Amino acid sequence: MNVLVIGSGGREHAIVHKMKQDGIKKIYCAPGNAGIEELAACVPIKSDDVRGLVDFALEKKIYLTIVGPELSLQAGIVDAFTERGLTIFGPTRQAAMLETSKSFAKKLLKKYGIPTPQFEVFDTSADAIDYAGTISYPAVIKADGIAAGKGVIIAEDSSQAIAAIKDIMDNRVFGDAGKVVLIEEFMEGAESSYFVLSNERGFLPLGSARDYKRLRDHDDGPNTGGMGSISPSDKLTPELEEKVVKKIVYPLMEALEKEGIVYRGVLYAGLMIVDDEPYVLEFNARFGDPETQALLPRVEGEMVGILTDSAKGRMFSDRLSLRQDVSVCVVMASKGYPASPQTDNVIEGLKDAIGKDIFIFHAGTRNEKGIIKTAGGRVLGVTALGESMKAAREKAYRAIGSIVFEGSQFRSDIGL
Ligand SMILES: Nc1ncnc2c1ncn2[C@@H]1O[C@H](COP(=O)(O)OP(=O)(O)O)[C@@H](O)[C@H]1O
Ligand SMILES: [Mg+2]
């Protein structure tokens, strides 16, 4: 059996690592990185080169392809693979609209009574601006489409709201993602992510995680792709998790069925917990990064069969069980990240960092004649499992202590 993983980040390294644990003999990754290279054959095909990837999968008779980045989903990779009879884990372009169009997702939630902050949708800036003059603040302005995590603005007053609306809709700072805007009720609470694997026959809970978006400790500094994560989320008690399944996941599965949407893949709900009640802020149509780097090492037993079930639209043949241990993932980023990351620095101490229940997932790295160098903004995700958050933190930060590269940045408060 062979497997192809698409992407080049820490998330994909965690997926490849899991496939290795599952005993997959031949793993390919496109395009991969210096860490993935040690476990898989990396092929230099870009994540959104749909034709190149289809040709490669046909040539190598790939049994299962697993998609990492949303970019590939948006490029229609699942549709293209399926057309050629290839098995691929992930939603079609239409089903991925749960992520790629916030208005699509929110309208579905509203129609089926699934808890989500109140909202209005606008397709002209004049209407949005009129409405912005009538509401209370703070309020949340959201570009409808994918805006690299920058399309959501918390406006403190109407002038900020109007400025955001003009930027998004008139100046098109996020391109076509800003054709439509949502104005949403601001909800104050604790955020968590919840993951399920799904298809038209059912779903399997995959667990929870929490990510740390800001660059610096105590949620200071600019937003990033994510500077760390923990799993399970400390904000999602087992009782709350039950509520999430009952009030959000089940009704959503019913909604998808009624709407005739076949959703195969990971469905990841971004939640806000207010007074012990979960609300959906958004969906993502893929494994989150770095959440997946914390989550996957907790998965016990084989995963490839379950992913194949999801991809083929079969009943799930098995359940997923998670280790009781908690997981902490700390991202090490390049100097200058996120604005202008400096690359090409030598990374030392990787071998010394390895230990039991410690995983060094690579993101922006490359191998230059045996020397590992930085090659992107987020460089490594150092993940550790432990009996308690404290134990996991100690392990992760001890490992980080032995890894050295010029100007490295990481948060010291992940899991605190
Ligand atoms: N209704 C809301 N109330 C309060 N905060 C919100 C609300 N919607 C979004 N946010 C904040 O903005 C962040 C980004 O919003 P989200 O809908 O997840 O979009 P994206 O991840 O695509 O940028 C959330 O993680 C949350 O911190
Ligand atoms: Mg989000």
Side-chain angles (χ1 to χ4, degrees):
M1 189 194 288
N2 59 16
V3 164
L4 167 65
V5 176
I6 296 174
S8 62
R11 159 182 57 203
E12 287 75 20
H13 194 175
I15 295 169
V16 166
H17 179 263
K18 186 67 201 155
M19 290 301 105
K20 197 78 187 174
Q21 281 184 333
D22 280 6
I24 302 297
K25 285 279 175 323
K26 189 74 201 176
I27 307 172
Y28 296 97
C29 186
N33 60 38
I36 293 174
E37 231 170 66
E38 290 179 16
L39 307 173
C42 291
V43 285
I45 310 173
K46 292 218 174 79
S47 304
D48 59 350
D49 178 2
V50 172
R51 268 183 71 176
L53 291 164
V54 165
D55 288 345
F56 179 80
L58 286 170
E59 181 198 322
K60 298 290 182 192
K61 299 195 167 53
I62 299 292
Y63 170 79
L64 174 70
T65 298
I66 304 167
V67 186
E70 58 274 28
L71 197 72
S72 314
L73 296 173
Q74 215 178 9
I77 193 159
V78 172
D79 312 65
F81 269 57
T82 309
E83 250 168 51
R84 303 299 295 272
L86 291 159
T87 304
I88 182 163
F89 175 79
T92 59
R93 189 163 16 197
Q94 191 225 348
M97 277 177 72
L98 278 183
E99 168 166 4
T100 58
S101 168
K102 290 189 194 295
S103 62
F104 174 82
K106 294 279 291 188
K107 283 176 183 163
L108 189 78
L109 290 167
K110 187 173 177 184
K111 181 169 172 189
Y112 290 91
I114 300 170
T116 189
Q118 292 200 21
F119 69 101
E120 295 291 335
V121 177
F122 300 95
D123 51 19
T124 70
S125 60
D127 288 348
I129 288 168
D130 278 350
Y131 180 75
T134 67
I135 56 174
S136 59
Y137 287 87
V140 188
I141 315 297
K142 295 189 175 186
D144 182 50
I146 297 271
K150 299 197 174 91
V152 171
I153 292 104
I154 314 274
E156 299 297 338
D157 54 41
S158 63
S159 67
Q160 285 183 10
I162 290 166
I165 293 163
K166 285 185 174 160
D167 268 349
I168 297 172
M169 300 192 89
D170 297 338
N171 305 332
R172 289 291 169 92
V173 292
F174 308 118
D176 281 352
K179 270 190 189 164
V180 168
V181 149
L182 292 81
I183 301 183
E184 215 172 274
E185 163 198 16
F186 176 82
M187 286 193 124
E188 193 149 23
E191 284 188 67
S192 280
S193 308
Y194 192 73
F195 297 81
V196 299
L197 298 177
S198 126
N199 67 20
E200 60 272 41
R201 306 220 175 204
F203 71 93
L204 285 181
L206 182 56
S208 68
R210 182 151 81 88
D211 72 339
Y212 295 73
K213 279 260 175 276
R214 300 292 194 97
L215 182 67
R216 285 188 279 277
D217 285 7
H218 314 300
D219 289 334
D220 200 14
N223 264 328
T224 69
M227 291 301 288
S229 57
I230 57 173
S231 176
S233 166
D234 54 340
K235 309 285 184 197
L236 215 61
T237 59
E239 298 74 52
L240 261 170
E241 200 170 316
E242 249 176 64
K243 264 190 201 172
V244 171
V245 171
K246 195 171 139 226
K247 295 189 170 180
I248 293 169
V249 182
Y250 270 114
L252 179 68
M253 292 298 142
E254 253 184 64
L256 292 174
E257 189 179 345
K258 289 211 174 106
E259 299 290 318
I261 300 168
V262 171
Y263 189 99
R264 298 176 178 174
V266 190
L267 193 53
Y268 145 7
L271 304 171
M272 185 71 88
I273 315 296
V274 185
D275 296 332
D276 267 349
E277 290 295 329
Y279 296 82
V280 179
L281 293 186
E282 64 153 354
F283 291 112
N284 290 303
R286 49 175 165 101
F287 283 114
D289 194 7
E291 294 94 321
T292 302
Q293 299 183 54
L295 187 59
L296 284 196
R298 294 182 57 229
V299 174
E300 263 179 336
E302 201 213 71
M303 204 169 172
V304 68
I306 289 167
L307 299 181
T308 310
D309 289 339
S310 165
K312 286 190 180 290
R314 296 194 297 232
M315 290 277 271
F316 288 103
S317 52
D318 208 350
R319 299 204 67 81
L320 270 173
S321 72
L322 292 179
R323 277 170 68 162
Q324 280 302 309
D325 300 86
V326 300
S327 180
V328 171
C329 168
V330 184
V331 168
M332 296 181 81
S334 291
K335 184 179 180 175
Y337 177 75
S340 46
Q342 190 191 87
T343 57
D344 283 322
N345 290 308
V346 176
I347 308 171
E348 285 172 305
L350 285 169
K351 293 233 158 55
D352 305 327
I354 293 167
K356 185 172 183 289
D357 285 339
I358 297 174
F359 310 88
I360 316 290
F361 295 125
H362 288 226
T365 65
R366 65 188 178 83
N367 184 333
E368 194 181 298
K369 300 190 184 104
I371 295 169
I372 309 296
K373 292 189 169 178
T374 61
R378 291 188 293 171
V379 178
L380 301 166
V382 178
T383 299
L385 292 174
E387 278 175 12
S388 63
M389 199 56 87
K390 186 165 175 280
R393 267 178 54 79
E394 273 171 17
K395 261 192 236 174
Y397 282 103
R398 205 180 322 126
I400 282 191
S402 48
I403 301 173
V404 182
F405 60 90
E406 165 88 27
S408 79
Q409 311 186 68
F410 59 87
R411 281 178 64 155
S412 64
D413 65 340
I414 308 300
L416 257 194

